[in-house]
Amino acid sequence: MKQKLQLIIILCLSAFYANAQMTPTDYLTGISSPRGLAFDANGILYVAENTSGNIFKVTGPETYTTFASTGSYNNNIAFDDNGNLYTGDDFFGRIFKIDASGNQEEYLNSTNNNVSDPWAIEFDTNGNLYYSSSTSGNIVKVTPSKVSTNYATGFFTPEGMAFDSAGNLYVADRNDQILFKIDPAGTVTTVLSGISEIRAVAVDANDKVYFNQRIGFSTRKIVKYDPVDESQTDIVDSGITGSVSEIAFDANGDMFFTGADKVSKVSNVVALSTTDFSINNTFNIYPNPAKNIINVSNKVASYKIFDLTGKKLIDGYNTTNIVDISSLPNGLYMVSLQDKKGNNTTKKLIKK
């Protein structure tokens, strides 16, 4: 009876917070035109300034150092599975690759790779790079051997992009005011339309989709879209200064987004664990930290492992109570576990 009462209270509180707008707080101020946000495998936030070309490594509120400077016009940023950071320069038509030590190279350019106005950059689970070309209206796929093909075409001004765990790619088309979805077969569908100023899109660990929107002349907000029931919920509807160009989540479910001259944070946006807390103890994983394998309970039916951007890296069914993680780079991950009754929970995993 006590457990049932606790669960009812938790569900009521969850429903309350799910329908309540959240207040952002300043996380990083005094910067100029922040355009890109990304977390590395260790949960460290990186922020790219547009006009200065600077990329900052942010270790806490108002605490940052200059990680690299492209000397160009940075847009959205992303990490590959090897810990390299990528940023697009839409002015000169280039994509830079920066390793963990801050060494950079011009990875793709307009002369050799026909790069045109790259805005957002994303990676799929096979290591292919995707970028949105904001003037050509194309989404371009680039293999690890730098072979480029048009993955989808016919957009007006595609900017922000984000993959969900099923491999669907969501695209924010600013001038068309549309949120699109491209499925793994390349089929493009309209998810939502009439979204003024949409530029940023993100997908959380539960495959909920977030995007920015402007209402009227000055009211800006961030909206959560549920692909299952197609509901929309305002997450932030005040405290946003300037157009939002990127949204990112950390491992704790906190949301970060860019504004005119700062990065803001909204805590506890995503519930990363199940509301059925009675099964949590049956879902232990060990050792943790782990090097090559983790052990899971025989009550676990299936598992999925995500990086901090929400990208699914490993999934499978539990037949041996052992999960091979040797292919993962060192860092912090989220492990989603499901039992035979369909109950779910999420655990943090440190790969060393």
Side-chain angles (χ1 to χ4, degrees):
M1 181 67 183
K2 182 178 179 181
Q3 288 181 334
K4 289 183 178 180
L5 179 59
Q6 289 175 331
L7 181 57
I8 290 171
I9 293 172
I10 290 168
L11 290 173
C12 290
L13 288 173
S14 298
F16 172 78
Y17 285 111
N19 291 285
Q21 285 76 48
M22 301 180 177
T23 302
T25 58
D26 291 349
Y27 191 76
L28 185 62
T29 59
I31 54 179
S32 176
S33 303
R35 186 64 61 83
L37 298 175
F39 286 92
D40 69 9
N42 295 310
I44 303 298
L45 175 65
Y46 289 74
V47 177
E49 285 186 326
N50 175 246
T51 53
S52 71
N54 292 328
I55 298 174
F56 302 122
K57 180 178 181 179
V58 185
T59 54
E62 307 293 359
T63 306
Y64 65 96
T65 55
T66 300
F67 170 67
S69 181
T70 62
S72 195
Y73 294 85
N74 297 323
N75 280 314
N76 289 181
I77 57 178
F79 283 94
D80 66 13
D81 288 341
N82 296 315
N84 300 303
L85 184 149
Y86 295 75
T87 182
D89 167 15
D90 64 337
F91 192 84
F92 291 106
R94 300 178 293 183
I95 293 177
F96 292 93
K97 175 182 176 181
I98 307 170
D99 68 18
S101 298
N103 302 309
Q104 65 186 49
E105 64 174 286
E106 195 172 285
Y107 185 69
L108 303 169
N109 58 48
S110 58
T111 302
N112 298 323
N113 313 99
N114 200 31
V115 175
S116 173
D117 302 300
W119 186 275
I121 296 174
E122 289 292 322
F123 288 89
D124 66 16
T125 55
N126 295 315
N128 297 304
L129 179 153
Y130 297 74
Y131 70 86
S132 56
S133 176
S134 58
T135 54
S136 73
N138 299 330
I139 306 300
V140 181
K141 176 181 178 179
V142 185
T143 68
S145 58
K146 298 186 180 181
V147 176
S148 301
T149 56
N150 286 332
Y151 184 63
T153 60
F155 301 98
F156 193 171
T157 315
E159 294 190 352
M161 301 190 301
F163 277 105
D164 68 9
S165 65
N168 298 303
L169 181 63
Y170 288 88
V171 179
D173 191 324
R174 177 167 54 89
N175 286 333
D176 255 347
Q177 302 184 6
I178 294 175
L179 176 66
F180 288 102
K181 181 179 79 172
I182 310 172
D183 70 17
T187 302
V188 180
T189 57
T190 297
V191 178
L192 298 168
S193 60
I195 310 171
S196 178
E197 204 179 79
I198 182 171
R199 307 186 82 176
V201 60
V203 178
D204 70 18
N206 300 319
D207 278 342
K208 303 299 187 292
V209 184
Y210 298 75
F211 59 88
N212 70 299
Q213 183 176 15
R214 191 190 75 216
I215 305 298
F217 290 103
S218 58
T219 300
R220 291 179 167 90
K221 61 183 182 177
I222 295 176
V223 181
K224 178 176 72 174
Y225 169 75
D226 189 332
V228 176
D229 61 17
E230 299 183 348
S231 63
Q232 298 180 55
T233 305
D234 290 351
I235 299 299
V236 180
D237 64 0
S238 63
I240 300 176
T241 59
S243 179
V244 176
S245 60
E246 190 150 33
I247 302 168
F249 290 93
D250 68 8
N252 297 315
D254 299 332
M255 181 175 71
F256 296 75
F257 62 88
T258 62
D261 56 1
K262 64 183 178 181
V263 174
S264 299
K265 174 183 177 180
V266 185
S267 299
N268 304 317
V269 173
V270 184
L272 293 176
S273 60
T274 177
T275 52
D276 186 359
F277 294 100
S278 63
I279 65 170
N280 234 344
N281 291 333
T282 69
F283 276 167
N284 289 330
I285 58 176
Y286 64 94
N288 194 3
K291 185 174 183 180
N292 293 315
I293 64 168
I294 54 173
N295 299 279
V296 298
S297 164
N298 59 11
K299 296 182 182 294
V300 172
S302 63
Y303 55 85
K304 298 177 182 178
I305 301 180
F306 302 86
D307 66 14
L308 297 186
T309 69
K311 182 192 299 182
K312 183 173 66 176
L313 304 176
I314 297 175
D315 66 349
Y317 294 97
N318 181 30
T319 58
T320 63
N321 299 337
I322 295 175
V323 180
D324 184 355
I325 61 168
S326 59
S327 63
L328 296 177
N330 294 346
L332 181 63
Y333 299 89
M334 305 304 296
V335 183
S336 175
L337 304 169
Q338 184 178 76
D339 70 7
K340 296 177 181 179
K341 296 181 180 180
N343 297 310
N344 295 275
T345 193
T346 303
K347 302 281 187 179
K348 292 181 184 179
L349 169 66
I350 299 174
K351 167 68 186 303
K352 64 178 182 178

Coordinates of all heavy atoms in Angstrom, one line a residue, residues 176-224:
D176 N 10.6 27.9 -44.4 CA 9.4 27.2 -44.6 C 8.5 27.1 -43.4 O 7.4 26.7 -43.4 CB 9.7 25.8 -45.2 CG 9.4 25.7 -46.7 OD1 8.7 26.6 -47.2 OD2 9.8 24.7 -47.3
Q177 N 9.2 27.3 -42.2 CA 8.5 27.2 -40.9 C 8.0 25.8 -40.7 O 6.8 25.7 -40.1 CB 7.4 28.3 -40.8 CG 7.9 29.7 -41.0 CD 6.8 30.7 -40.8 OE1 5.7 30.4 -40.4 NE2 7.2 32.0 -41.0
I178 N 8.7 24.8 -41.0 CA 8.3 23.4 -40.9 C 9.3 22.6 -40.2 O 10.5 22.7 -40.4 CB 8.1 22.8 -42.4 CG1 6.9 23.5 -43.0 CG2 7.8 21.3 -42.3 CD1 6.7 23.1 -44.5
L179 N 8.8 21.6 -39.4 CA 9.6 20.6 -38.8 C 9.4 19.3 -39.7 O 8.3 18.8 -39.8 CB 9.2 20.3 -37.4 CG 10.0 19.1 -36.7 CD1 11.5 19.4 -36.5 CD2 9.3 18.8 -35.3
F180 N 10.5 18.9 -40.3 CA 10.4 17.7 -41.2 C 11.0 16.5 -40.5 O 11.8 16.6 -39.6 CB 11.2 17.9 -42.5 CG 10.5 18.8 -43.4 CD1 11.0 20.2 -43.6 CD2 9.5 18.4 -44.3 CE1 10.4 21.0 -44.5 CE2 8.9 19.3 -45.2 CZ 9.4 20.6 -45.3
K181 N 10.6 15.3 -41.0 CA 11.3 14.0 -40.5 C 11.7 13.2 -41.8 O 10.9 13.1 -42.7 CB 10.3 13.2 -39.7 CG 11.0 11.9 -39.2 CD 10.0 11.1 -38.3 CE 9.0 10.3 -39.2 NZ 8.2 9.4 -38.3
I182 N 12.9 12.8 -41.8 CA 13.4 11.9 -42.8 C 13.7 10.5 -42.2 O 14.5 10.4 -41.3 CB 14.8 12.4 -43.4 CG1 14.6 13.9 -43.8 CG2 15.2 11.6 -44.6 CD1 16.0 14.6 -44.2
D183 N 12.9 9.5 -42.7 CA 13.1 8.2 -42.1 C 14.4 7.5 -42.7 O 15.0 8.0 -43.6 CB 11.9 7.3 -42.3 CG 11.6 6.9 -43.7 OD1 12.5 7.0 -44.5 OD2 10.5 6.5 -44.0
P184 N 14.8 6.4 -42.1 CA 16.0 5.7 -42.6 C 16.0 5.4 -44.1 O 17.1 5.2 -44.7 CB 16.1 4.5 -41.7 CG 15.4 4.9 -40.4 CD 14.3 5.7 -40.9
A185 N 14.8 5.3 -44.7 CA 14.7 5.0 -46.1 C 14.9 6.2 -46.9 O 14.9 6.1 -48.2 CB 13.4 4.3 -46.4
G186 N 14.9 7.4 -46.3 CA 15.0 8.7 -47.0 C 13.7 9.3 -47.3 O 13.7 10.4 -48.0
T187 N 12.6 8.8 -46.8 CA 11.3 9.4 -47.1 C 11.1 10.6 -46.2 O 11.3 10.5 -45.0 CB 10.2 8.4 -46.8 OG1 10.4 7.2 -47.6 CG2 8.8 9.0 -47.1
V188 N 10.7 11.7 -46.8 CA 10.5 13.0 -46.1 C 9.1 13.2 -45.8 O 8.2 13.1 -46.7 CB 11.1 14.2 -46.9 CG1 10.9 15.5 -46.1 CG2 12.6 14.0 -47.2
T189 N 8.7 13.5 -44.5 CA 7.3 13.8 -44.2 C 7.3 15.1 -43.3 O 8.3 15.4 -42.6 CB 6.7 12.7 -43.3 OG1 7.5 12.4 -42.2 CG2 6.5 11.4 -44.1
T190 N 6.2 15.8 -43.4 CA 6.0 17.1 -42.6 C 5.5 16.7 -41.3 O 4.4 16.0 -41.2 CB 5.1 18.0 -43.3 OG1 5.7 18.5 -44.5 CG2 4.8 19.2 -42.4
V191 N 6.2 17.0 -40.2 CA 5.7 16.7 -38.8 C 4.8 17.9 -38.3 O 3.7 17.6 -37.9 CB 6.9 16.6 -37.9 CG1 6.4 16.3 -36.4 CG2 7.8 15.4 -38.3
L192 N 5.3 19.1 -38.4 CA 4.5 20.3 -38.0 C 4.8 21.4 -38.9 O 5.9 21.5 -39.4 CB 4.9 20.7 -36.5 CG 4.6 19.6 -35.4 CD1 5.3 20.1 -34.1 CD2 3.1 19.5 -35.2
S193 N 3.9 22.3 -39.1 CA 4.1 23.5 -39.9 C 3.7 24.7 -39.2 O 3.0 24.7 -38.2 CB 3.4 23.3 -41.3 OG 2.0 23.2 -41.0
G194 N 4.0 25.9 -39.8 CA 3.6 27.2 -39.2 C 4.4 27.5 -38.0 O 3.9 28.2 -37.1
I195 N 5.6 27.0 -37.9 CA 6.5 27.3 -36.7 C 7.4 28.5 -37.0 O 8.5 28.3 -37.7 CB 7.3 26.0 -36.3 CG1 6.4 24.8 -36.3 CG2 8.0 26.3 -35.0 CD1 7.2 23.5 -36.1
S196 N 7.0 29.6 -36.6 CA 7.8 30.8 -37.0 C 9.2 30.8 -36.3 O 9.3 30.5 -35.1 CB 7.1 32.1 -36.5 OG 7.8 33.3 -36.7
E197 N 10.2 31.1 -37.1 CA 11.6 31.2 -36.6 C 12.2 29.9 -36.2 O 13.3 29.8 -35.6 CB 11.7 32.2 -35.5 CG 13.1 32.8 -35.3 CD 13.2 33.8 -34.2 OE1 13.3 33.4 -33.0 OE2 13.1 35.0 -34.5
I198 N 11.7 28.7 -36.5 CA 12.3 27.5 -36.1 C 13.7 27.3 -36.7 O 13.9 27.5 -37.9 CB 11.4 26.3 -36.5 CG1 12.0 25.0 -36.0 CG2 11.1 26.2 -38.0 CD1 11.1 23.7 -36.2
R199 N 14.6 27.1 -35.9 CA 16.0 26.9 -36.3 C 16.7 25.7 -35.6 O 17.6 25.1 -36.2 CB 16.9 28.2 -36.0 CG 16.3 29.5 -36.5 CD 17.2 30.6 -36.3 NE 18.3 30.7 -37.3 CZ 19.2 31.6 -37.4 NH1 19.2 32.6 -36.5 NH2 20.0 31.6 -38.4
A200 N 16.3 25.5 -34.4 CA 17.0 24.4 -33.6 C 16.0 23.3 -33.4 O 14.8 23.4 -33.2 CB 17.4 25.0 -32.2
V201 N 16.6 22.1 -33.4 CA 15.8 20.9 -33.0 C 16.7 19.9 -32.3 O 17.9 19.8 -32.6 CB 15.2 20.2 -34.3 CG1 16.3 19.8 -35.3 CG2 14.3 19.0 -34.0
A202 N 16.1 19.3 -31.3 CA 16.9 18.3 -30.5 C 16.0 17.1 -30.1 O 14.7 17.3 -30.1 CB 17.5 18.9 -29.2
V203 N 16.6 16.0 -29.9 CA 15.8 14.8 -29.5 C 16.4 14.3 -28.1 O 17.6 14.1 -28.0 CB 15.9 13.7 -30.5 CG1 15.1 12.4 -30.0 CG2 15.3 14.2 -31.9
D204 N 15.5 14.1 -27.1 CA 16.0 13.6 -25.8 C 16.2 12.1 -25.8 O 15.9 11.4 -26.8 CB 15.1 14.2 -24.7 CG 13.7 13.5 -24.6 OD1 13.5 12.5 -25.2 OD2 12.9 14.1 -24.0
A205 N 16.6 11.6 -24.6 CA 16.8 10.2 -24.5 C 15.6 9.3 -24.6 O 15.6 8.1 -24.8 CB 17.5 9.9 -23.1
N206 N 14.4 10.0 -24.5 CA 13.1 9.3 -24.6 C 12.5 9.5 -26.0 O 11.3 9.2 -26.2 CB 12.1 9.7 -23.5 CG 12.7 9.5 -22.1 OD1 13.3 8.4 -21.9 ND2 12.5 10.4 -21.2
D207 N 13.3 10.0 -26.9 CA 12.8 10.3 -28.3 C 11.7 11.3 -28.4 O 11.0 11.4 -29.4 CB 12.3 9.0 -29.0 CG 13.5 8.2 -29.5 OD1 14.6 8.7 -29.7 OD2 13.3 6.9 -29.8
K208 N 11.7 12.2 -27.4 CA 10.8 13.4 -27.6 C 11.6 14.5 -28.3 O 12.8 14.6 -28.2 CB 10.4 13.9 -26.2 CG 9.6 12.9 -25.3 CD 8.4 12.4 -26.0 CE 7.6 11.5 -25.0 NZ 8.2 10.2 -24.8
V209 N 10.9 15.3 -29.1 CA 11.5 16.2 -30.0 C 11.3 17.6 -29.5 O 10.1 18.0 -29.1 CB 11.0 16.1 -31.4 CG1 11.7 17.1 -32.4 CG2 11.1 14.7 -32.0
Y210 N 12.3 18.5 -29.5 CA 12.2 19.8 -29.0 C 12.6 20.8 -30.1 O 13.6 20.5 -30.9 CB 13.2 20.0 -27.8 CG 12.8 19.2 -26.6 CD1 13.1 17.8 -26.6 CD2 12.2 19.7 -25.5 CE1 12.8 17.0 -25.6 CE2 11.9 18.9 -24.4 CZ 12.2 17.5 -24.4 OH 11.9 16.7 -23.4
F211 N 11.9 21.9 -30.2 CA 12.3 22.9 -31.2 C 11.9 24.3 -30.6 O 11.1 24.5 -29.7 CB 11.5 22.7 -32.5 CG 10.0 22.7 -32.4 CD1 9.3 23.9 -32.5 CD2 9.3 21.5 -32.1 CE1 7.9 23.9 -32.3 CE2 7.9 21.5 -32.0 CZ 7.2 22.7 -32.1
N212 N 12.5 25.4 -31.3 CA 12.2 26.7 -30.8 C 11.1 27.3 -31.7 O 10.9 26.9 -32.9 CB 13.5 27.6 -30.9 CG 13.9 27.8 -32.4 OD1 14.2 26.9 -33.1 ND2 13.9 29.1 -32.8
Q213 N 10.5 28.3 -31.2 CA 9.4 29.0 -31.9 C 9.2 30.4 -31.5 O 9.5 30.7 -30.3 CB 8.1 28.2 -31.7 CG 6.9 28.8 -32.5 CD 5.6 27.9 -32.3 OE1 5.5 27.1 -31.4 NE2 4.6 28.1 -33.2
R214 N 8.9 31.3 -32.4 CA 8.6 32.7 -32.0 C 7.1 32.9 -32.2 O 6.5 32.6 -33.2 CB 9.4 33.7 -32.9 CG 9.3 35.1 -32.4 CD 9.9 36.1 -33.4 NE 9.0 36.3 -34.5 CZ 9.4 36.5 -35.8 NH1 10.6 36.4 -36.1 NH2 8.5 36.7 -36.8
I215 N 6.5 33.6 -31.2 CA 5.1 34.0 -31.3 C 5.0 35.5 -31.3 O 5.5 36.2 -30.4 CB 4.3 33.4 -30.1 CG1 4.5 31.9 -29.9 CG2 2.8 33.8 -30.2 CD1 3.9 31.1 -31.1
G216 N 4.4 36.0 -32.4 CA 4.4 37.5 -32.5 C 5.7 38.0 -32.8 O 6.6 37.4 -33.5
F217 N 6.0 39.3 -32.3 CA 7.3 39.9 -32.6 C 8.4 39.6 -31.6 O 9.6 39.6 -32.0 CB 7.1 41.4 -32.6 CG 6.3 41.9 -33.8 CD1 4.9 42.3 -33.6 CD2 6.8 42.0 -35.1 CE1 4.2 42.7 -34.7 CE2 6.1 42.4 -36.1 CZ 4.7 42.8 -36.0
S218 N 8.0 39.3 -30.4 CA 9.1 39.2 -29.4 C 9.0 37.9 -28.5 O 9.9 37.6 -27.8 CB 9.1 40.4 -28.5 OG 7.9 40.6 -27.9
T219 N 7.9 37.2 -28.4 CA 7.7 36.1 -27.5 C 8.4 34.9 -28.2 O 8.0 34.4 -29.3 CB 6.3 35.8 -27.2 OG1 5.7 37.0 -26.6 CG2 6.1 34.6 -26.3
R220 N 9.3 34.3 -27.5 CA 10.0 33.1 -28.0 C 9.9 32.0 -27.0 O 9.8 32.2 -25.8 CB 11.5 33.4 -28.2 CG 11.7 34.3 -29.4 CD 13.2 34.6 -29.6 NE 13.5 35.2 -30.9 CZ 13.5 36.5 -31.1 NH1 13.3 37.4 -30.1 NH2 13.7 37.0 -32.3
K221 N 9.8 30.8 -27.5 CA 9.6 29.6 -26.6 C 10.3 28.4 -27.1 O 10.6 28.3 -28.3 CB 8.1 29.4 -26.3 CG 7.3 29.0 -27.5 CD 5.8 28.9 -27.2 CE 5.0 28.5 -28.4 NZ 3.5 28.3 -28.0
I222 N 10.4 27.4 -26.3 CA 10.9 26.0 -26.7 C 9.8 25.1 -26.4 O 9.2 25.0 -25.3 CB 12.2 25.6 -26.0 CG1 13.3 26.6 -26.4 CG2 12.5 24.2 -26.3 CD1 14.6 26.3 -25.7
V223 N 9.4 24.2 -27.4 CA 8.3 23.4 -27.4 C 8.7 21.9 -27.5 O 9.7 21.6 -28.2 CB 7.3 23.7 -28.6 CG1 6.1 22.8 -28.5 CG2 6.9 25.1 -28.5
K224 N 8.1 21.0 -26.7 CA 8.3 19.6 -26.8 C 7.2 18.9 -27.6 O 6.0 19.2 -27.4 CB 8.4 19.0 -25.4 CG 8.6 17.5 -25.4 CD 8.8 16.9 -24.0 CE 7.5 16.8 -23.3 NZ 7.6 16.1 -22.0

